Amino acid sequence: MTITIYTAPAPFEGRQGQRQMLAIYSWLQLNPRPSVVLLGQDASLSKFAEPLAPFVRVDTEIDFTFLGAHMFHTMVGRARASTSDIAVLIEPDLILFPDFIDVLGYSHLIQDDWLLVAMSRNVPSFPFHQQLPEGPWLIKSNNVVETEEVHAYVSQHGQWTACKGGQLWAWNTGKVPLHAGVMPPFVYEQGQHNEWLLNEALTSGYRFVFDATEAFSLIYPQDIPKTVQVTQTEEVDKYEYQEWGFAVNAHLARHYGSYFFRPANFSNLPVKLFKCGGPKSKKFCFWDHFKHLSYCFPPELLLIAEGQGAGFAGMQAAEDSYITSFRRYVLGKTWKYFPIQPHLLGARRNLPFWKNFVSGFRMSSNRRSTCLQDNFTVGAELDCPVSRVKEPLPLNSHLASPFSLESLLSRVANSDKVVVLAVVGNSYRDMLMSWVCRLKWLKLSNLILSAVDDDIYEFAILQGLPVFKSGPSMNLSFNDCHFGTECFQTVTKVKSRTVLQILQLGYHVLLSDVDVYWFKDPTRELMSFGPGTLVAQTDEYNLTEALNVPRRLNSGFYFAWSNNATIAAFERIVKHAATSHMSEQPSFYDVLCGVGGKYRVGTTLCVEPLTNLTVHFLDREKYPNGAYKTLWENENVAEVCKRQGCVILHNNWISGRKKKLARQIASGLWDYDDRGRMCVKSWHSSGQIHLF
């Protein structure tokens, strides 16, 4: 039986790093030893994991906000794709003890798909530590302490506090989802995501959901303060960012699923799993507080399993031997044999069956009462409020980013002060996300988005993307903003104005339309032409024509330096476009190459005489437009482009958003899973793109 634990640690630095190390060491002492996957991209994670391989490894294939915060829905997605028998998602600083394996052992015998949830106990002062992953617990001057003593200390000093404990989820893997519908892109550790997941799991009824908080020890050493995973700055400090993050998550929770209408918390789960008989007991009971019934299963099964081998190793053999020992050990005692009673949990109407037998055991009323009184100490204390935001957002509230354009530029620009800019409207949100995912795959983090309407602005905020408004919001038709339309002409003119604004702030701009597929990062090559040159894609596809023929400069992919000559040229482009009834593209050519191409030099250049700015039209073999060599019509576009040496491929020269979208998806040059609201990962199953 295999277990994989997934967690999203902060950088392994300072006391926070020490606490995470202590927690992970405790996980590695479980028997059987689980695999541990650290979800993150900080270099300290790999440094920590390397000496613990193969039991600990790092996985960077989840989504992050532009500030580096983990996206919770991709964390759950990664754990859902686990090939282990049981997947566990846990906060990185929660300590586990061997009784967790006992709980998983019993849970694994449930013949139904299940979801376990538990909250940690806070220990105000945790004096124990470990120096090695397989070493003993130590105290003070490295004196050895037995695990039982640590357990006893935790039992005495552990406290449950509403909403301040850590969280653990565990489930049997397989095809059955945790909940119906789509999980929104919550920002991890910014509230609401745990409550939302619990509510949707309960109301969906796909799995048997139970609270195991009382069944095992899950410890949060409270004396080490948590670290917010965001860099503090002068304009927006980490506390302001937290409040904004809470607002974003609250907005998502209220617009997705049923959480807004019937929020769940951890005190009203219908079924709880608890241990009966003291800390060393291996007798577990389910308590259905709706029906006031307890369903208890004696420890013989786990004891037999341990006799067959350590931990889970003997569990399979134990199942068979338990059937023959069933009546001898149990039915002759004072326990009463009875069929499992019906149980109502969301859409499910039966308690889970146990593998190979469908029987439970009812305690006498006195024993049950004593056991419940001894164990249920949480009660209403776990009643978490619907929202931790000071003023919860109304259902129709609009979001706004706390970051100005100047603040965003300072955050996302690379060391050369280069930003990759896309100016986009809501009609192209799917192509935007595929484009963003591709840039993330290429390890580019210097992208910035200019939103031309309110819908795409809010959408980008909720996706954790760096976005600002281009100006007054436009009302764009979802399917009618393609080449040649009035909408298209209006949007293109916003692009040149936005580029000019950024150039004036001292940043160089690589502008790319979102229908440009990137095979490689072109930044270094484009910069190599030098500050006196604006490099741009040509829209000429005829092999016998020069690249710089009239009005073939494509304003959907170019690199512009922030210098006086380029800024002066863009000021003239913007002024020219403002009086034109066409898109900005003819204005680019007429200003930089002259009307009719009178400033052309050779077949690839133009030199604008007022600023002496050189325009270099890029090689079509490496930077092809959508009509060049009919590349999009090949059966394997990626392979053909690879042989040709493509750096990018523009999906233009096709009319209509739907046709453009269909062509790109059919080619396989698509990197966004719209059903999961996340970038496509190597761990995704096939066939997860469903845009039509």
Side-chain angles (χ1 to χ4, degrees):
M1 191 60 58
T2 54
I3 308 167
T4 300
I5 298 178
Y6 296 86
T7 191
F12 282 85
E13 301 170 352
R15 299 188 72 190
Q16 176 77 6
Q18 294 174 9
R19 181 167 61 185
Q20 292 176 166
M21 179 182 68
L22 181 65
I24 294 171
Y25 281 3
S26 75
W27 308 344
L28 294 176
Q29 289 194 347
L30 300 176
N31 186 13
R33 177 180 286 186
S35 297
V36 177
V37 178
L38 308 181
L39 303 172
Q41 54 190 357
D42 189 83
S44 65
L45 274 62
S46 296
K47 185 177 180 180
F48 172 81
E50 185 176 354
L52 301 175
F55 299 105
V56 180
R57 61 184 177 87
V58 177
D59 192 336
T60 61
E61 275 203 282
I62 62 167
D63 292 340
F64 303 88
T65 70
F66 77 97
L67 293 172
H70 299 72
M71 303 295 283
F72 183 69
H73 70 307
T74 61
M75 293 168 53
V76 174
R78 179 64 190 94
R80 282 272 295 117
S82 174
T83 57
S84 297
D85 298 306
I86 295 176
V88 178
L89 185 61
I90 186 174
E91 294 188 15
D93 42 20
L94 300 184
I95 297 171
L96 291 169
F97 292 91
D99 56 354
F100 179 55
I101 294 296
D102 295 341
V103 169
L104 291 186
Y106 274 95
S107 301
H108 179 63
L109 294 176
I110 299 174
Q111 197 180 334
D112 212 346
D113 294 292
W114 52 270
L115 173 64
L116 174 159
V117 59
M119 292 190 72
S120 68
R121 276 189 272 187
N122 299 327
V123 179
S125 178
F126 191 75
F128 310 100
H129 65 278
Q130 291 175 303
Q131 293 181 340
L132 297 171
E134 297 180 357
W137 287 101
L138 305 173
I139 191 172
K140 293 182 179 180
S141 301
N142 291 334
N143 294 323
V144 175
V145 180
E146 296 297 329
T147 301
E148 289 75 10
E149 296 181 57
V150 180
H151 222 155
Y153 181 90
V154 165
S155 299
Q156 182 179 357
H157 295 89
Q159 304 170 357
W160 277 286
T161 308
C163 294
K164 294 183 180 179
Q167 193 80 35
L168 179 146
W169 303 87
W171 60 87
N172 66 302
T173 58
K175 295 183 179 180
V176 176
L178 302 183
H179 59 86
V182 177
M183 179 180 290
F186 289 114
V187 181
Y188 183 51
E189 294 188 318
Q190 299 301 306
Q192 303 303 316
H193 49 72
N194 285 325
E195 293 87 348
W196 187 94
L197 176 55
L198 175 63
N199 181 82
E200 297 306 305
L202 285 170
T203 56
S204 300
Y206 289 168
R207 288 172 175 261
F208 170 57
V209 184
F210 60 95
D211 176 10
T213 297
E214 302 268 3
F216 67 97
S217 299
L218 181 64
I219 304 306
Y220 171 70
Q222 196 175 13
D223 57 333
I224 306 176
K226 269 188 175 291
T227 301
V228 178
Q229 297 187 43
V230 64
T231 304
Q232 185 172 353
T233 64
E234 293 181 1
E235 182 180 356
V236 183
D237 65 25
K238 63 183 179 181
Y239 302 107
E240 185 177 348
Y241 168 78
Q242 275 188 294
E243 288 300 309
W244 177 65
F246 284 138
V248 169
N249 278 8
H251 183 92
L252 288 169
R254 282 156 174 72
H255 285 79
Y256 281 75
S258 60
Y259 177 62
F260 177 78
F261 303 100
R262 46 174 180 268
N265 59 53
F266 295 93
S267 65
N268 64 9
L269 269 80
V271 178
K272 297 179 184 291
L273 179 69
F274 64 96
K275 184 184 296 185
C276 191
K280 294 185 178 181
S281 172
K282 295 188 178 181
K283 180 186 296 179
F284 292 94
C285 297
F286 281 111
W287 168 246
D288 183 342
H289 70 82
F290 282 176
K291 289 185 172 291
H292 298 284
L293 291 174
S294 60
Y295 304 91
C296 297
F297 296 86
E300 279 79 3
L301 181 58
L302 192 61
L303 292 175
I304 295 172
E306 290 178 344
Q308 300 286 344
F312 279 141
M315 191 62 72
Q316 189 64 47
E319 294 179 25
D320 297 330
S321 60
Y322 185 69
I323 301 303
T324 58
S325 60
F326 184 98
R327 296 182 181 277
R328 184 173 69 251
Y329 280 112
V330 180
L331 298 185
K333 297 184 179 181
T334 58
W335 293 57
K336 195 172 182 180
Y337 176 72
F338 76 108
I340 289 181
Q341 298 295 316
H343 159 266
L344 179 61
L345 176 58
R348 306 197 71 85
R349 298 186 177 274
N350 294 290
L351 272 174
F353 291 146
W354 293 75
K355 289 180 179 177
N356 294 327
F357 64 97
V358 286
S359 303
F361 302 88
R362 173 175 288 161
M363 285 183 175
S364 66
S365 59
N366 290 338
R367 293 182 64 185
R368 181 180 67 230
S369 177
T370 301
C371 189
L372 294 177
Q373 185 176 3
D374 290 343
N375 283 276
F376 283 162
T377 59
V378 181
E381 294 180 10
L382 291 185
D383 190 6
C384 297
V386 174
S387 173
R388 280 184 275 180
V389 184
K390 292 180 180 178
E391 297 180 2
L393 294 172
L395 188 61
N396 61 349
S397 185
H398 292 288
L399 292 173
S401 168
F403 303 102
S404 66
L405 173 57
E406 292 84 351
S407 176
L408 287 175
L409 290 169
S410 66
R411 280 172 167 78
V412 305
N414 67 15
S415 58
D416 294 315
K417 298 192 73 174
V418 174
V419 294
V420 179
L421 171 68
V423 180
V424 65
N426 192 50
S427 57
Y428 278 85
R429 68 159 61 181
D430 294 320
M431 298 202 80
L432 163 67
M433 290 309 301
S434 182
W435 181 81
V436 166
C437 291
R438 183 60 186 174
L439 265 61
K440 287 184 176 181
W441 189 88
L442 292 171
K443 308 299 182 185
L444 287 166
S445 59
N446 59 329
L447 65 93
I448 188 168
L449 306 178
S450 175
V452 301
D453 59 69
D454 289 335
D455 289 338
I456 198 65
Y457 175 71
E458 184 173 295
F459 175 79
I461 288 175
L462 296 176
Q463 302 300 317
L465 301 175
V467 62
F468 65 98
K469 286 188 176 181
S470 303
S473 179
M474 303 178 188
N475 184 19
L476 304 181
S477 172
F478 199 77
N479 288 314
D480 297 324
C481 202
H482 51 83
F483 182 82
T485 63
E486 183 178 348
C487 172
F488 176 84
Q489 295 170 7
T490 303
V491 170
T492 61
K493 294 176 182 180
V494 173
K495 292 194 295 185
S496 53
R497 292 199 303 266
T498 304
V499 171
L500 175 59
Q501 184 181 7
I502 296 175
L503 294 177
Q504 290 172 334
L505 291 172
Y507 294 88
H508 316 305
V509 177
L510 198 174
L511 181 132
S512 174
D513 286 348
V514 297
D515 62 352
V516 177
Y517 188 85
W518 291 36
F519 292 98
K520 304 174 185 176
D521 177 8
T523 307
R524 285 296 167 195
E525 180 177 0
L526 301 182
M527 293 180 70
S528 68
F529 289 91
T533 303
L534 184 145
V535 292
Q537 185 182 45
T538 179
D539 236 1
E540 180 54 54
Y541 59 86
N542 194 323
L543 294 175
T544 62
E545 293 286 349
L547 276 63
N548 59 355
V549 294
R551 293 191 170 178
R552 282 296 193 238
L553 188 154
N554 189 305
S555 62
F557 186 85
Y558 59 82
F559 184 89
W561 291 85
S562 176
N563 53 39
N564 292 335
T566 307
I567 291 173
F570 266 83
E571 289 173 342
R572 295 178 59 213
I573 292 169
V574 170
K575 183 177 180 180
H576 187 282
T579 60
S580 171
H581 297 293
M582 306 176 72
S583 71
E584 69 167 3
Q585 198 152 292
S587 296
F588 262 84
Y589 191 89
D590 289 355
V591 169
L592 298 177
C593 294
V595 177
K598 60 184 177 181
Y599 305 145
R600 293 169 61 194
V601 177
T603 61
T604 61
L605 302 177
C606 292
V607 179
E608 199 280 315
L610 294 180
T611 61
N612 202 35
L613 179 67
T614 298
V615 180
H616 185 102
F617 289 77
L618 290 163
D619 179 4
R620 287 177 295 192
E621 289 292 302
K622 299 173 70 174
Y623 297 88
N625 58 63
Y628 182 68
K629 289 186 175 181
T630 61
L631 290 172
W632 284 106
E633 296 180 15
N634 286 281
E635 184 175 348
N636 192 331
V637 180
E639 183 61 31
V640 173
C641 278
K642 182 180 180 181
R643 291 198 303 266
Q644 183 173 300
C646 296
V647 177
I648 64 163
L649 175 60
H650 205 147
N651 189 8
N652 62 346
W653 285 102
I654 185 171
S655 181
R657 167 187 167 272
K658 289 185 177 180
K659 292 180 180 178
K660 179 175 292 195
L661 201 60
R663 180 166 78 171
Q664 189 157 338
I665 293 173
S667 73
L669 302 181
W670 192 261
D671 295 276
Y672 179 57
D673 169 23
D674 81 305
R675 175 168 290 183
R677 302 293 192 270
M678 66 183 75
C679 297
V680 173
K681 313 295 183 185
S682 64
W683 42 265
H684 269 114
S685 60
S686 60
Q688 288 190 272
I689 298 174
H690 305 272
L691 290 173
F692 299 104

